[in-house]
Amino acid sequence: MIYSGYIFDLDDTLYCEHDYVKSGFWVVANELANYRLDIDVSEIYEMLIDEWKRNGRGRVFDEVCRRLDIDMDISHLVRLYRGHVPNISLYDDAKKLIFYLKEKGKKLGIITDGNSTMQWAKVKALHLEKLFDYIIVTGDLGEEHWKPSETPYRKMVKHLHLDFADCVYIGDNPNKDFITAKKLGMGTVRIVRDVGDHMQTRLSREYEADYLIYSLTELIK
């Protein structure tokens, strides 16, 4: 594939989002340990991980606080989680592809959905600002502009001074990553990782990417 612009999703495309969750849970576990000095922080951390794996992320903090008999404002824990400095790193294949594309003089961008504080903390922890020409966190634009809205795609292409046909979007989530990019005329590539929330998702052709890959190095040709 020969494109001038390579636009990436962030979570589970360039790094493992589960590492972010674990990083945030460790910060929350340390906070909860202040309220239960009789329990080791690692035990509280394992409680958070266990609850997440059994019932998802939605009410992890509520349930663990209930089990620990800690009465506190859950929004405080959510703020700690969202505001923590994450301990995460790029996938090895992401590093290889990014540096390969930069050597080839390609333009690089990121479009990522989510809370602005969280997503920019990830961007900074991964040192992506110096590697990419333009980064859009749709949380900065308002939820009505989250993918699959056309807004971030149009904004990205305009900033890179490219046409849609010159660009490819690379992501992991067929629920929202590819449908608009395809309608606008961009190429689309889906990365399937060993770990990730959307790895087992399979949708109709309308939502799926043009190409399916299992390593970003498959794009180095």
Side-chain angles (χ1 to χ4, degrees):
M1 282 185 296
I2 304 297
Y3 292 96
S4 299
Y6 288 73
I7 319 302
F8 293 84
D9 171 52
L10 179 59
D11 301 325
D12 287 332
T13 297
L14 296 180
Y15 83 100
C16 179
E17 190 182 13
H18 284 192
D19 289 345
Y20 176 85
V21 176
K22 293 174 182 175
S23 172
F25 280 2
W26 181 251
V27 172
V28 171
N30 275 273
E31 175 67 4
L32 293 177
N34 293 324
Y35 294 81
R36 286 295 303 265
L37 299 178
D38 57 320
I39 302 178
D40 189 80
V41 62
S42 60
E43 187 175 342
I44 297 175
Y45 173 75
E46 290 302 325
M47 291 174 68
L48 291 165
I49 295 291
D50 178 66
E51 177 59 26
W52 165 42
K53 290 185 176 178
R54 286 193 297 114
N55 296 311
R57 276 177 259 181
R59 293 185 59 79
V60 169
F61 301 155
D62 302 80
E63 179 59 22
V64 171
C65 282
R66 186 191 66 77
R67 289 164 57 189
L68 292 171
D69 196 25
I70 296 175
D71 182 16
M72 68 183 307
D73 184 355
I74 299 301
S75 65
H76 169 61
L77 299 179
V78 173
R79 285 195 296 274
L80 281 179
Y81 177 84
R82 289 179 172 175
H84 87 283
V85 178
N87 181 19
I88 54 177
S89 57
L90 289 171
Y91 279 118
D92 285 342
D93 62 344
K95 289 181 193 174
K96 290 177 182 176
L97 178 60
I98 290 168
F99 285 110
Y100 171 82
L101 293 173
K102 288 186 71 68
E103 286 181 2
K104 295 295 182 181
K106 305 296 184 181
K107 293 184 178 180
L108 303 182
I110 291 174
I111 297 174
T112 177
D113 281 346
N115 174 276
S116 292
T117 300
M118 291 171 60
Q119 297 309 102
W120 280 114
K122 296 170 186 175
V123 167
K124 292 182 186 304
L126 296 169
H127 307 293
L128 297 177
E129 289 172 292
K130 62 184 179 183
L131 296 175
F132 284 77
D133 297 289
Y134 195 44
I135 297 173
I136 295 175
V137 174
T138 58
D140 295 338
L141 307 176
E143 285 198 30
E144 68 273 23
H145 299 297
W146 288 26
K147 294 178 287 186
S149 164
E150 291 186 5
T151 302
Y153 299 92
R154 292 189 179 280
K155 192 177 177 69
M156 176 61 72
V157 169
K158 181 179 180 181
H159 185 90
L160 296 180
H161 303 290
L162 295 173
D163 294 326
F164 289 116
D166 297 324
C167 298
V168 59
Y169 190 77
I170 304 160
D172 70 300
N173 184 356
N175 291 297
K176 62 180 182 179
D177 279 343
F178 312 118
I179 185 169
T180 299
K182 291 173 74 172
K183 286 180 180 176
L184 293 172
M186 299 172 69
T188 52
V189 174
R190 179 179 176 183
I191 176 74
V192 177
R193 302 287 189 187
D194 292 335
V195 175
D197 292 343
H198 309 291
M199 298 305 114
Q200 304 304 320
T201 303
R202 295 292 184 273
L203 301 180
S204 65
R205 181 178 297 181
E206 180 184 13
Y207 287 88
E208 292 286 354
D210 300 324
Y211 298 97
L212 187 71
I213 60 174
Y214 295 89
S215 169
L216 291 177
T217 56
E218 293 180 46
L219 301 178
I220 298 176
K221 294 179 180 177

